[in-house]
Amino acid sequence: MKKIIVFTFIVLIGSVALGQGVTQMNKLPSVNIKTLDGQPFNTSQIQNDGKPIVISFWALWCKPCKKEMEAYNENYEDWQQQTGVKIYAVSIDDARSTQKVLPFVRGHDWQMTVLLDPNGDFKRAMNVNLIPHTFLLDGNGKIVYQHTSYYEGMEDEFFELIKKVAAGEDIAKH
Amino acid sequence: MKKSILALFVLILIATGANAQFSEMIKKSEVHGSFEFDGAYYLPDDAMGITDSMINGRNFAFNGFGNIIYTLGKFSAGLRYEAYLPPIAGFDAKLEGQGIPYLWAKYTSEKFTFTVGNFYEQFGMGLTFRTYEEWSLGYDNSMNGARITYEPVKGLIMKAVYGSQRFYWAKWKPNSRGIVKGFDAELDFNQVFKSMENSKVRLIIGGSAVSKYQSDLDPIYKLPRNVSNLGGRFSLGIGNFNIASEYAWKVNDPSAINKYIYKDGDAFIFTLSYSTKGFGFFGMFKRLDNMSYKSDRTVISNALDINFLPPNTEIHSYMLTAIYPYATQPNGEIGFQLQINYKIPRKSKLGGKYGMGISVNYSQVNNIDRQQVNDTTPVSDLKWESGTLGWTSPFFKFGKPVFWQDMNIEINKKFSKKFKAIFKYMYQTYDIAVLQGHPGEPTIYANIALVDMTYKFNSKNALRWEAQGFWSQQDKGSWLALLLEYTISPHWFFAFSNQYNYGNPVAKDQIHYYNLSFGYTRRTSRIALTYGRQREGIVCVGGVCRQVPAANGFTVTITSSF
């Protein structure tokens, strides 16, 4: 029976995948996670009035992630003025350090909107294997670009993409 | 029979394929997925004592998964295929094999969510219930059953779960591992009550009840078949202060982990934080007393945990600070953690142009103080009698020995647009006899210092180097380590590292653990290749650890998502 279900599933996915643009994520999955101070938050509430959105997965134990967030934080004011972009920094720290995220974020004076995903539910729904993993959404909430890893200086190129998205350009070929 | 059903399914699919409605459905559908392959090729190594006969023809090892999620409006379904052929050194041998351990379907309406098949869930901090997966450990305790989530009003969430848990590839059978059921409710006052909508006080309370059923086939003891675990929690925010706490109480649950004692268990976590712009304080107190809770009482390995017991120690990621990581002691531990983050402002004397970050962390974990529960039941610090009530223990008393102590300070400074550095010092106490189960071995005391510097040549090229020292008289003695990493944004990295165990009391074990690696990333795809030696040790995530044997060879990791 299980084999049949799996087989049906694969056929279904196969036929869907033949259709155009199905791997394009047009709408964020609806997952219950938490705000920085622990209030329930559904990920379908992520929005920015038609302007670009960045969703970046990070954790306190991940050094490159924290570097990436620091780099975004340093440029955030600038980026917001130019493009109106809003950054959501989703921490996947588990119960060991979920409560440490708030004092860390305030202590480092991060300006981004920080969300907590302590059991990785949003991470799984977004198919994130490794962190850092960053998504760029256009004004309609469609994912137009994503990348994993962070290298020194990557934020400059990323901002060029944000600008293009804010201007309504198609960045599919990047 | 099966074949004919299969053929029927295919026919229906093809027939509906011609249907306009179906093509409309396809247009609205989305498919996403990800995969990862971790491969290894092992080589013999005389210096580390790895011979051909130890490898025994298993030069190749492979862990891989593929994950697919299908979405159509409010409906979604997914599966994960996994293969361990054979598993990479250090992963449980019971993982060898392949299959689909994770298969699920979900329907979400405005107030309800229904999930059938496999799922992951966490109640509060997890002291009563948490299922999750951790690929790097080969850990997966997912539920297989059903879950309902109900949100009658915004801010009130109720959850009910029912099912059995994953145990490697073993199918669930009657009289094997148990069945788990649980209920959880959480109420956010600020969302539910209009009068508190704009209040400066933020209050959330929650409660959960979990129960497991396992038949009793024990030849010696009469064991409880139903064991429940009840929890209560709250989170309170007032201005810059935040308090979160959780308490759980478990009825007696004799198991292989607690050596079959009939003692109730409990767990308590209390955290307090204060934060303001540029300053953060965090304090945590934690106590566990006989709190292992598995859906099979005979299992002692890292599997079938129903609850999650988070450690109260900091996670270290530098090579030499992570030689001796903490492993949660479910039979009893008491500890605390204090942390301060402070950012010295820009343009001050110490802060310079860019400011300077300071972080100080102290954590300590002791044994609980075990005392005799009655005259006929002997007990000592780490020993007790099977088939008894175990021990009794004063709630706030720190017992002997000290399992863990960690004092560290980290300074983070950007000197110019091109150059920044991190300096770290750490003092560590580590009871290897208990934490790694090596009775009789002396406790390790270590001083660790490191510097991590990054120089940015231009907007694409950067060099990072780390120099680290670990000084200790115990176990394998002292170490020095060096790392060089060159990155070309956004695609390439090249790295060389060497960990030299120069202070090993056994001269022939004074080994260089060198590693050479490079990787290429494009969007969400990444390939990394490493050649070198891996030191013996333990890898821990969330207090759950896995032994990693010494190895030499090539490893490759390929990951992608779409």
Side-chain angles (χ1 to χ4, degrees), chain B residues 523-541:
Chain B
R523 291 198 153 210
T524 60
S525 301
R526 185 174 193 269
I527 176 164
L529 188 72
T530 304
Y531 167 72
R533 284 171 170 164
Q534 171 185 290
R535 69 161 193 247
E536 183 184 4
I538 60 176
V539 175
C540 300
V541 180

Side-chain angles (χ1 to χ4, degrees), chain A residues 9 29, chain B residues 69-78 104-108 114:
Chain A
F9 199 78
Chain B
I69 300 174
Y70 168 83
T71 316
L72 175 64
K74 291 174 172 175
F75 173 80
S76 57
W104 57 275
K106 189 168 107 172
Y107 181 80
T108 311
F114 302 94

